[in-house]
Amino acid sequence: MLPVLGVDADDTLWENEERFHEVEQRFRDLMVPWAGGDATDAALLAAERENISRHGYGIKGFVLSMVLTAVEISDGAIDARSLAGIVGWGHEMMAHPIELLDGVPEALDDLGATHRLLLITKGDLGDQMGKVDRSGLADRFWRIEVVPEKDVPTYRDVLDRHGVDPAEFTMVGNSVKSDVLPVLAIGGRAIHVPHTTTWAFEKPDPADLDGVDFPVVDRLTDVAALL
Ligand SMILES: [Mg+2]
């Protein structure tokens, strides 16, 4: 049996943050009558932070946070059609074509020759499975897991359910907080493939990086050489 390699999806296999940034710019523009861009960004981030435990990660939660923020910033003056427009942005995001990162299909073919590939992505089940479908990459994976959070208990549970020993497991992804630190904490290996943009919520606490060491590569195509 081949060893198992965990692979993150958003911003490891395809562009994701960029989609959110495009819509955040539209939201800034919509709020111009009431607030500057920085104030809008700060209010939206605060709404997301406050509501993530209720909404979870994903487009629907993002849309609800924009609606709440628009009502708050405009002190109730925002019109109903603009609110419906925000919901429409979410619908667009859900159907947006997937933009694969450089060399991803070839890299997965290489990695899949030596490993069973386990896609582990967090967020809304519908959003995430929609992206997997539209990516055309689903067949390259041994198993696909959509989880609400990527933390120590989640990784333990996922590996346990698939009969994978953490000591023989490696995870690859763009987020130190979600793809690297929890996997190291359960005794696995992790390889960081940074992406150009990282969501504020994915920035690790600097104290968590003390004495922690892990390999960093530029692209997914560089991972095979490390395994
Ligand atoms: Mg990611």
Side-chain angles (χ1 to χ4, degrees):
M1 285 247 275
L2 297 176
V4 173
L5 180 70
V7 182
D8 171 55
D10 289 338
D11 297 310
T12 296
L13 303 179
W14 51 67
E15 293 288 355
N16 181 64
E17 270 303 298
E18 203 174 282
R19 299 285 93 80
F20 284 83
H21 290 316
E22 285 164 5
V23 172
E24 282 163 3
Q25 183 56 54
R26 292 188 212 171
F27 186 63
R28 266 175 231 129
D29 294 343
L30 182 67
M31 292 295 103
V32 159
W34 302 284
D38 290 348
T40 296
D41 284 351
L44 178 58
L45 192 65
E48 292 183 271
R49 202 179 287 284
E50 191 182 327
N51 288 303
I52 205 110
S53 61
R54 299 180 180 116
H55 300 166
Y57 297 92
I59 296 167
K60 279 179 275 191
F62 179 54
V63 164
L64 288 172
S65 293
M66 282 190 288
V67 167
L68 290 170
T69 304
V71 171
E72 182 73 29
I73 287 182
S74 70
D75 197 19
I78 184 107
D79 64 295
R81 280 195 193 281
S82 295
L83 296 180
I86 292 173
V87 175
W89 297 344
H91 294 171
E92 263 179 63
M93 292 174 79
M94 285 171 193
H96 198 286
I98 298 298
E99 191 185 332
L100 296 180
L101 300 184
D102 232 12
V104 159
E106 298 78 11
L108 291 178
D109 285 341
D110 280 354
L111 295 168
T114 54
H115 288 75
R116 287 176 287 163
L117 303 183
L118 171 59
L119 186 79
I120 309 178
T121 177
K122 81 175 171 198
D124 179 87
L125 182 63
D127 290 357
Q128 299 308 86
M129 289 311 290
K131 283 184 277 189
V132 170
D133 280 348
R134 298 200 301 287
S135 75
L137 298 175
D139 291 350
R140 288 177 166 82
F141 290 94
W142 169 61
R143 296 282 189 273
I144 295 172
E145 284 281 344
V146 180
V147 294
E149 189 57 85
K150 282 165 110 171
D151 52 14
V152 163
T154 302
Y155 279 105
R156 279 217 179 93
D157 173 62
V158 167
L159 296 187
D160 187 51
R161 275 191 289 112
H162 293 297
V164 179
D165 177 357
E168 288 167 18
F169 175 71
T170 305
M171 180 74 194
V172 178
N174 72 299
S175 170
V176 170
K177 186 178 169 188
S178 294
D179 303 316
V180 174
L181 296 177
V183 175
L184 297 181
I186 63 169
R189 290 177 67 199
I191 300 169
H192 185 212
V193 191
H195 191 54
T196 45
T197 52
T198 304
W199 193 29
F201 291 2
E202 290 296 333
K203 302 232 159 76
D205 184 337
D208 292 341
L209 296 173
D210 264 358
V212 177
D213 196 26
F214 49 84
V216 181
V217 297
D218 286 337
R219 290 148 33 105
L220 195 65
T221 34
D222 302 329
V223 168
L226 279 182
L227 293 171

